[in-house]
Amino acid sequence: AASCACPLRGRAPVPPQAIMAPRKPASKPKPPRGHYTVHARDTRAEQRARVVEDVRRAAAHCRSHSVGVKAALATGHFPEATRGKVAWELKRGTSDDDSPRDANQQLLTNAERLKLASWVLARADVHDPQNRHQISVKVRAVLAERHRFNKTKKYGKGTIPLNTPELNHLNSNIDLSHTFFQRIYPWWRARGIDITEGVSRAEEEKRSQKHREAVVENHFFGEYGLERELIDAGVMDPHTKVIKDPRRLLNGDETPQRDGARAITPPPPLPLPVIRSQGWAGGGLRMRFPRST
């Protein structure tokens, strides 16, 4: 049988497949506006604190009543806890520390954070607020104390080994990062400890030392002050200490001047026009301006 180059009856030639461009990967959704505000951070910190508290209470309920995770959550007393988190808490077992960490890589345990808050409040009560550098030094001292205690107990029962962030801060002289302070203040506020970071007094003290009465007096009336500059430029009268040009604003109300300086007398107002009525028959109103003196 002879072969035929034409296509079979009833079938059309298959068109070539179009080459599709690769799809762009889905971009990460942006956080909503206001996600990084102080109120938003405090809200997330309070939410995390409620989750941790419910998970611990649910695990304690499972141990004390000898029930499973599903039965403990079915009571409805732990709304923020989930089965996976409670199961992980039970698997981790009880801790010798009264206040363990909320996370494995958390800097300072919960008990040490509460002690740090008490120390910050005590220093503020005696009018000695601590800055970030002083708080970093205190945290390093707390970590060193726990490290010595662990070595004394030979890392046995009752010890809490230092994690990686704690070891890095203990072995360095660098202050704590900005992220630590962004997280520690909401963590304190979630537990009812109201500590806010204010402005350093060092800048205010420097400013108050510079803006003294003698410094201001020398700035205006000193050897190289503003008054001498105006006299040398021919703008101010050296005898009366008054600006020659009345249009200048340096002789305003808020400009310091010598006592007894002559004030600029404003020119007298122009006289008002005299209006005389002639009646409707006389052609309406007529205005006469008085002669200027």
Side-chain angles (χ1 to χ4, degrees):
S3 61
C4 181
C6 61
L8 298 177
R9 182 175 296 179
R11 292 188 180 183
V14 179
Q17 296 291 334
I19 301 176
M20 302 294 294
R23 297 182 60 183
K24 295 178 61 178
S27 59
K28 185 178 180 181
K30 296 182 179 180
R33 189 172 184 179
H35 186 72
Y36 296 103
T37 59
V38 176
H39 176 70
R41 292 202 306 264
D42 292 350
T43 304
R44 292 195 298 271
E46 294 174 0
Q47 176 68 17
R48 288 193 297 268
R50 288 195 298 267
V51 170
V52 171
E53 185 66 22
D54 285 356
V55 168
R56 291 176 180 172
R57 290 173 54 242
H61 180 82
C62 294
R63 296 190 188 100
S64 59
H65 294 79
S66 300
V67 296
V69 177
K70 187 176 180 180
L73 297 181
T75 60
H77 300 305
F78 320 105
E80 301 293 340
T82 59
R83 295 182 61 181
K85 293 181 180 180
V86 176
W88 174 255
E89 184 70 17
L90 292 173
K91 182 180 179 181
R92 190 172 60 171
T94 58
S95 176
D96 296 326
D97 188 16
D98 296 333
S99 299
R101 301 185 182 94
D102 294 341
N104 294 331
Q105 298 301 317
Q106 175 180 302
L107 189 63
L108 298 179
T109 62
N110 293 352
E112 292 172 345
R113 289 190 169 197
L114 295 177
K115 293 179 181 178
L116 180 64
S118 301
W119 175 76
V120 171
L121 292 175
R123 300 309 304 173
D125 291 339
V126 296
H127 304 286
D128 184 22
Q130 303 296 297
N131 54 24
R132 292 191 173 187
H133 172 70
Q134 294 169 329
I135 293 177
S136 301
V137 173
K138 180 64 177 180
V139 169
R140 192 175 293 109
V142 171
L143 295 177
E145 182 180 357
R146 173 148 57 98
H147 182 63
R148 288 192 298 267
F149 176 78
N150 293 341
K151 292 178 65 177
T152 303
K153 294 293 184 178
K154 297 182 179 179
Y155 296 92
K157 186 177 181 179
T159 61
I160 306 174
L162 275 69
N163 54 24
T164 303
E166 293 173 343
L167 288 173
N168 293 338
H169 182 64
L170 180 62
N171 297 326
S172 66
N173 295 325
I174 303 175
D175 293 346
L176 293 170
S177 63
H178 180 66
T179 306
F180 172 80
F181 292 98
Q182 280 188 328
R183 294 176 179 177
I184 190 66
Y185 291 113
W187 191 93
W188 283 333
R189 284 192 288 268
R191 285 156 177 79
I193 305 174
D194 189 9
I195 301 179
T196 55
E197 191 172 13
V199 182
S200 177
R201 294 183 180 180
E203 297 297 330
E204 294 295 332
E205 292 176 357
K206 292 179 181 178
R207 186 172 182 270
S208 62
Q209 291 177 1
K210 290 182 179 179
H211 292 76
R212 292 176 297 174
E213 184 177 359
V215 176
V216 176
E217 184 77 14
N218 185 53
H219 173 74
F220 285 100
F221 310 113
E223 182 180 0
Y224 302 100
L226 177 63
E227 186 179 85
R228 177 56 58 183
E229 289 288 338
L230 295 176
I231 293 175
D232 293 343
V235 178
M236 177 181 286
D237 190 347
H239 302 288
T240 60
K241 309 296 184 183
V242 176
I243 304 294
K244 296 180 180 180
D245 193 344
R247 296 175 300 175
R248 295 186 178 271
L249 300 178
L250 292 176
N251 282 90
D253 295 338
E254 298 181 358
T255 305
Q257 300 184 23
R258 293 284 189 181
D259 294 338
R262 183 176 60 85
I264 300 176
T265 305
L270 296 176
L272 297 176
V274 178
I275 302 176
R276 293 183 179 181
S277 176
Q278 302 294 335
W280 292 104
L285 299 178
R286 293 183 179 180
M287 302 180 63
R288 180 176 61 86
F289 290 90
R291 296 180 180 179
S292 58
T293 57

